[in-house]
Amino acid sequence: MTAPSVDLTAVMPVLIVLGAACVAVVLEALLPRERRYAAQVTLTVAAIVVAGFWTLLEGSRHRYAVTFAGSVAVDGGTYVMWGVLLVLALPSVLLMADRVAEPGGAFVAQAAARVGSARDRVATQVATPMQTEVFPLTLFAVGGMLVFPAASDLLTLFVALEVLSLPLYLLCGLARRRRLISQESAVKYFLLGAFTSALLLYGIALIYGYAGSIRFTDIAARASAGSGSDTLLLAGIALLTVGLLFKASVGPFHLWTPDVYQGAPTPVTAFMAACTKVAAFAAMLRVFSVALQPMYWTWRPVLWVVAIASMLIGAVLGITQTDMKRVLAYSSVAHAGFIILGVMALSQQGASGTMFYLLTYGFATIGAFAIFTVVRRGSGEASRLSDWAGLARRSPVLAASMSLFLLSFAGIPLTSGFIGKLSVFTAAVGAGMAPLVVVAMVATAITAFFYLKVVVLMYFSPPAGAAEDGAGEPYVVVPGPLTAIVIGLSVVVTLVLGIAPSWFLHLLSVPFPFTG
């Protein structure tokens, strides 16, 4: 047997994150409960920062490699994808670690306690130490996200998908309050995710039957030669695409998104909305531009329909929502339709625009969910849109910050969202998809309606009164240091990327084509 070529230096960011996750599991088992929080937060933040620094250093040196017997490709595009992922993972972790807005943290105090029992009620009311196993689970998810866009064969792609998905299934069911809806969201996510993973694996099997290989370059070469059964190839492409679109919450494969976003702990929702989207679209960039590029004439028309469906589903159904988290969920579906235009462009401008859009959308999303954690009614979060009426009178700074994020979602000039949309739409027009850009602009105008509706509620509506269920009037808690850092950082990034984006656009330039 010939030993595979292994370049550990090239994949060091992945090793740092996964190694820290294993160390975190050991700390969770050995340390007393009162000492776990500080150790886990320090380890998690340090791992992400060190991995990000390593990515920036090696990316600036242009140190590229194809390693692990050709299953992992580390090139300029990989470094950009890793950088965006790690930059968004850091504020997500800080938001998870906050214990001020929700005394004891947003996560369940005793996961083993039966929902609704006396033990569960006491544990929820008392600010007991949070369940710190969320931090190793998050690191494992981040590790899978790092491998996902770097995979250069289908089997590695599938393994990375499962590594990033399984921790998310658990994290979704660990909300401190409203535990039944949290557990329901976890079960829905798990069942739909397992079903979609099976479809993706079946698609991998069909493509392997067609090409006789799972490597992206071999699949592309076989497709270019035109030999083999087209039925196997087309069916495999269809199933593989469905699996990737599901993970990116692209409509109409978005059915899990509103329920999971609503039921999961808010920091986990922010983490999924930002980081999982980056991993999924980054993986699609590599799969479609390397493995399936010779067959673009078969899958691009289908993605036209998918993009239109996603934009319209997110825009139209978002108007009807009365829950803030569901509004942001359908916003996510609409944005997925916009982002996929950059993937379909199959160009350097499209890939670079996609990553810039993901960065801008990620920070605005994390900032919006961070504000959501400090607007409360009774003992829980103020989730209904009516609860946000008159927020500007209670907290002008938070209302202004939320308005900025909503305007960025709408693509208003001088915000990062405008530059992100402009980058993706320009790449799509250059690839001959001008009619699709027109549809995207119409969908953008529709989504602006429910974004501006929230702004009007915050500034021009009288403050909401006490609820019929006796929950009292909505109120705003003073953000803890970690949440304040996340909100402030998101505001700064949203403004800077909207006013002076040139340097960041250059930094996020993705070399094209990708390494095979």
Side-chain angles (χ1 to χ4, degrees):
M1 295 180 62
T2 303
S5 60
V6 176
D7 187 349
L8 296 180
T9 305
V11 294
M12 189 57 68
V14 180
L15 298 180
I16 291 171
V17 172
L18 293 180
C22 295
V23 173
V25 172
V26 176
L27 293 179
E28 193 70 21
L30 297 181
L31 290 179
R33 189 171 186 183
E34 61 273 9
R35 296 176 57 188
R36 293 175 191 168
Y37 174 80
Q40 294 283 24
V41 173
T42 302
L43 176 62
T44 304
V45 171
I48 293 174
V49 170
V50 172
F53 177 77
W54 189 283
T55 300
L56 182 62
L57 183 64
E58 294 300 298
S60 63
R61 295 176 177 175
H62 305 287
R63 190 183 187 283
Y64 305 152
V66 178
T67 184
F68 286 93
S71 63
V72 176
V74 180
D75 53 18
T78 305
Y79 284 121
V80 172
M81 296 167 186
W82 284 355
V84 173
L85 264 171
L86 294 169
V87 165
L88 292 174
L90 184 58
S92 301
V93 168
L94 295 179
L95 190 59
M96 291 181 189
D98 184 82
R99 298 186 295 180
V100 176
E102 175 66 67
F107 299 94
V108 60
Q110 293 183 3
R114 185 171 60 87
V115 177
S117 64
R119 178 185 175 191
D120 179 53
R121 289 194 296 271
V122 171
T124 301
Q125 294 169 0
V126 179
T128 53
M130 66 185 296
Q131 295 292 107
T132 50
E133 66 264 26
V134 300
F135 297 107
L137 288 173
T138 302
L139 283 175
F140 278 119
V142 173
M145 292 175 187
L146 293 175
V147 178
F148 200 39
S152 194
D153 67 49
L154 294 176
L155 192 57
T156 305
L157 184 80
F158 175 75
V159 172
L161 174 65
E162 295 306 299
V163 171
L164 76 90
S165 296
L166 292 175
L168 291 178
Y169 300 151
L170 295 173
L171 289 170
C172 288
L174 294 179
R176 187 180 187 90
R177 301 185 185 275
R178 304 180 69 189
R179 287 189 60 198
L180 279 178
I181 191 174
S182 176
Q183 292 178 358
E184 178 187 353
S185 73
V187 171
K188 286 181 178 178
Y189 193 20
F190 169 71
L191 292 177
L192 289 174
F195 176 72
T196 311
S197 294
L199 291 180
L200 186 141
L201 193 60
Y202 190 29
I204 291 173
L206 293 178
I207 293 176
Y208 175 74
Y210 167 83
S213 174
I214 57 174
R215 292 187 179 180
F216 291 172
T217 50
D218 294 341
I219 296 168
R222 188 65 180 268
S224 298
S227 58
S229 171
D230 288 343
T231 303
L232 282 178
L233 177 60
L234 295 177
I237 290 175
L239 295 175
L240 179 65
T241 302
V242 167
L244 294 173
L245 294 176
F246 171 87
K247 188 51 62 178
S249 68
V250 180
F253 309 100
H254 69 288
L255 298 181
W256 62 276
T257 309
D259 292 336
V260 173
Y261 276 33
Q262 183 182 18
T266 301
V268 175
T269 304
F271 176 62
M272 289 193 301
C275 297
T276 306
K277 237 178 187 55
V278 174
F281 279 107
M284 276 195 276
L285 280 172
R286 189 174 295 276
V287 170
F288 286 125
S289 15
V290 178
L292 305 182
Q293 193 276 336
M295 298 292 292
Y296 75 94
W297 53 272
T298 62
W299 53 259
R300 182 181 276 179
V302 176
L303 289 188
W304 270 58
V305 178
V306 169
I308 294 173
S310 186
M311 290 184 284
L312 295 182
I313 288 172
V316 174
L317 295 184
I319 296 175
T320 65
Q321 303 305 308
T322 59
D323 184 276
M324 179 62 82
K325 292 179 84 172
R326 294 182 75 88
V327 167
L328 294 177
Y330 280 105
S331 168
S332 168
V333 176
H335 281 282
F338 301 145
I339 298 171
I340 205 169
L341 299 184
V343 176
M344 288 191 289
L346 291 181
S347 64
Q348 179 172 347
Q349 187 180 18
S352 303
T354 298
M355 298 314 301
F356 184 83
Y357 196 124
L358 289 167
L359 179 67
T360 60
Y361 171 77
F363 268 106
T365 300
I366 293 173
F369 280 112
I371 294 175
F372 183 84
T373 62
V374 299
V375 181
R376 307 182 71 80
R377 180 194 281 273
S379 59
E381 296 166 337
S383 61
R384 292 176 297 188
L385 283 180
S386 58
D387 295 336
W388 291 67
L391 178 65
R393 302 183 188 179
R394 295 188 175 97
S395 178
V397 175
L398 288 181
S401 300
M402 189 67 177
S403 300
L404 175 65
F405 299 141
L406 293 172
L407 294 177
S408 179
F409 291 148
I412 302 300
L414 299 182
T415 64
S416 60
F418 172 76
I419 303 299
K421 282 187 171 65
L422 182 63
S423 302
V424 171
F425 292 172
T426 302
V429 171
M433 295 185 287
L436 197 56
V437 173
V438 173
V439 176
M441 294 175 68
V442 173
T444 299
I446 298 174
T447 57
F449 174 80
F450 58 80
Y451 296 138
L452 295 178
K453 181 173 71 172
V454 179
V455 176
V456 170
L457 272 175
M458 291 190 296
Y459 280 93
F460 302 106
S461 297
E468 296 179 358
D469 55 6
E473 296 182 0
Y475 61 95
V476 178
V477 300
V478 178
L482 297 180
T483 299
I485 291 172
V486 172
I487 296 173
L489 179 62
S490 300
V491 167
V492 170
V493 170
T494 302
L495 286 174
V496 171
L497 294 185
I499 297 173
S502 301
W503 184 81
F504 297 94
L505 286 169
H506 175 73
L507 181 66
L508 296 179
S509 178
V510 177
F512 201 86
F514 292 104
T515 302

